[in-house]
Amino acid sequence: MRTIEWDDKKDVVKLIDQTLLPGDYKIVECTHLDELIEAIKKLKVRGAPALGVAGAFGVVLAFMNEQDEATLKDEVEKLKKARPTAVNLSYGVNRTLQAAMCGKSMQERCSYALDEAKRIAEEDVAVNRKIGEYGSALLEDGDVVLTHCNAGRLACVDWGTALGVIRTAIEKGKQIEVIACETRPLNQGSRLTAWELLQDEIPVTLITDSMGAAVMREGKANKVLVGADRVVKEGVLNKIGTYMHAVVAKAHGIPFYVAAPLSSFDTERSYKAVEIEERGPEELLFFGEKQIAPLNVKVYNPAFDFTPFELIEAIITEKGVIRDLKEDV
Ligand code: MRU
C-alpha cells in the first residue's frame, strides 16, 4: 500500500506506522482528527510530502466529524502546528480548507475537501516521478550516493524525492549504490531508508552519521542527495545532520543535491523565521527502553538544521533543476 491513503469504504485515513518499521509492518486507521494529529506528532507518518497529504486528509476528517465553525478552526490550527518545520503540512491543510470552503453545505464542503485531498495525494506521486526524471540526469552509472534521513516513498505518498531520483536512475539502467546515514536520534535512515531500498533490491550500505566525513574523504561516496522540509530564502531546512554532510561535501569537492517538490518552497521567508521543532529529551536519554545517558543531563534535540545555498550544487524540482541558487531562488 501507499504510505498514506484514504479508504473510501471505511471513510478513514490509512497509514503505515513508521515507528514500528523495520520490525513490524502495520497499518493504522485514523477516524478522528485527534488520532491523526497524534500519529503526526509520534512520527507514525512523517516526511515533508507525506505530512502535506496527512494535513489534507486531516481537514477531511475535521469536516466529516461535523463540528461548528469555531471548533473546526481550532482543530485545523492544532493540525497545522502538530509539526512546525516542514511547510508541506500547512500547504496541505490550507489548500484543502480553501477547496472545502467553496461548498455551501457541510456535506458539500466535506466532499470538496476529500476531492482536493485525493488530488494532493495523486499529485505527490506524479511530482516525484518528474523530480526523478530531472534528477536522474545528474546521476551517472556507478555513482555511490550518500543520503541522510528518509526522503523515499515512506516520506511521500509513493516513489520518493531523493530516493525517487535514485529509483528513476536505476529504472533507466544506471547502477547506483546508496550509503544511508542512520540519522540519530530517531534513525529514519537505518530503520526506513535501508528498509525501503532493500525492499526494492537497491544496494545500500548503512553508516552512522559521524562516519559521513571519513566515507567522503575515502572516496566511498561521490555524491550527496537529500530531501527538504522547507526551502527558504537563503537555503534549505532538512533533518538535523544535513548541514554537517553539506559542509563535508564542500570540503571534499563532492556535489550536494537537494530534491524537493515546489510545495516545500517558502522562499519569501528567512530560515530565522521558521520554527525548528525541538523534540523531547527522552529521544537522547533512551535507546528504546534502555537508558543511555544520565537522566539529569541537559539535552538539546532540534529535529532540523539549515544548510545555506552556497553549499548546495542544485535543487531538483518537478519543474527542473535549479542551479543558480541565490536568495531569490
Ligand atoms: O522528522 P522527519 O522524519 O519527518 O524528517 C524528515 C526529513 O527531514 C526528510 O528528509 C524531509 O522531510 C524530506 S522528505 C522527502
Side-chain angles (χ1 to χ4, degrees):
M1 98 153 219
R2 287 176 162 184
T3 300
I4 178 162
E5 61 189 27
W6 184 262
D7 185 322
D8 277 315
K9 287 197 190 102
K10 294 183 175 169
D11 273 342
V12 295
V13 183
K14 281 173 41 177
L15 50 96
I16 299 171
D17 184 346
Q18 300 188 36
T19 59
L20 303 176
L21 288 171
D24 283 315
Y25 180 92
K26 276 199 181 135
I27 309 299
V28 173
E29 293 182 358
C30 301
T31 316
H32 290 97
L33 182 55
D34 281 353
E35 295 163 335
L36 184 63
I37 292 178
E38 199 53 22
I40 292 172
K41 285 188 171 163
K42 291 204 165 133
L43 272 65
K44 288 183 182 180
V45 60
R46 33 73 45 205
L51 287 175
V53 176
F57 286 138
V59 172
V60 181
L61 289 180
F63 276 101
M64 248 173 200
N65 292 310
E66 241 185 275
Q67 296 135 335
D68 58 277
E69 214 154 299
T71 321
L72 199 125
K73 227 174 138 194
D74 279 0
E75 294 287 291
V76 165
E77 274 314 301
K78 255 197 259 164
L79 171 62
K80 276 206 245 181
K81 287 186 182 137
R83 295 197 70 199
T85 309
V87 71
N88 306 63
L89 180 55
S90 44
Y91 166 85
V93 169
N94 292 341
R95 216 179 113 174
T96 311
L97 202 55
Q98 205 178 352
M101 292 323 271
C102 296
K104 287 182 189 76
S105 63
M106 200 45 126
Q107 204 183 7
E108 209 172 54
R109 286 182 175 178
C110 205
S111 130
Y112 286 4
L114 184 55
D115 288 349
E116 189 67 8
K118 284 183 178 173
R119 206 166 4 244
I120 293 173
E122 287 309 318
E123 274 175 23
D124 178 69
V125 185
V127 158
N128 287 342
R129 282 289 185 164
K130 283 200 177 139
I131 290 175
E133 282 298 317
Y134 285 115
S136 60
L138 303 173
L139 299 187
E140 283 158 49
D141 195 28
D143 275 351
V144 183
V145 180
L146 183 141
T147 192
H148 191 69
C149 195
N150 172 266
R153 62 162 47 108
L154 288 167
C156 304
V157 174
D158 203 353
W159 202 246
T161 54
L163 299 190
V165 168
I166 291 165
R167 285 195 166 94
T168 309
I170 291 173
E171 209 174 54
K172 288 179 184 292
K174 296 179 187 177
Q175 280 199 352
I176 311 288
E177 284 188 32
V178 179
I179 294 190
C181 297
E182 67 176 347
T183 319
R184 284 279 295 142
L186 295 181
N187 292 66
Q188 290 93 329
S190 53
R191 293 188 305 102
L192 308 176
T193 294
W195 181 80
E196 69 162 82
L197 291 177
L198 289 176
Q199 292 273 311
D200 283 5
E201 297 179 9
I202 295 173
V204 53
T205 303
L206 176 65
I207 61 168
T208 67
D209 304 327
S210 53
M211 291 172 192
V215 161
M216 285 191 241
R217 193 181 57 78
E218 290 163 10
K220 291 195 169 90
N222 67 328
K223 275 169 193 156
V224 180
L225 174 57
V226 296
D229 286 274
R230 197 186 286 241
V231 179
V232 290
K233 211 190 230 177
E234 322 89 334
V236 167
L237 293 154
N238 194 48
K239 178 55 56 192
I240 191 77
T242 301
Y243 174 55
M244 168 180 76
H245 296 310
V247 170
V248 172
K250 189 70 158 187
H252 293 91
I254 290 173
F256 182 96
Y257 297 110
V258 173
L262 293 171
S263 55
S264 298
F265 279 55
D266 184 22
T267 49
E268 296 291 298
R269 207 179 302 273
S270 163
Y271 73 98
K272 293 176 196 150
V274 179
E275 181 183 344
I276 301 283
E277 178 185 357
E278 264 198 55
R279 300 193 52 90
E282 68 286 351
E283 291 179 357
L284 273 70
L285 299 177
F286 293 90
F287 198 82
E289 304 273 285
K290 189 171 167 47
Q291 185 188 329
I292 52 167
L295 296 181
N296 56 347
V297 71
K298 194 171 145 197
V299 170
Y300 176 49
N301 185 19
F304 301 96
D305 63 22
F306 167 71
T307 300
F309 285 145
E310 58 259 32
L311 299 179
I312 301 171
E313 180 81 15
I315 302 183
I316 308 153
T317 75
E318 68 270 33
K319 296 269 187 222
V321 175
I322 311 171
R323 279 189 180 276
D324 189 20
L325 294 164
K326 42 183 174 359
E327 277 215 2
D328 57 344
V329 62

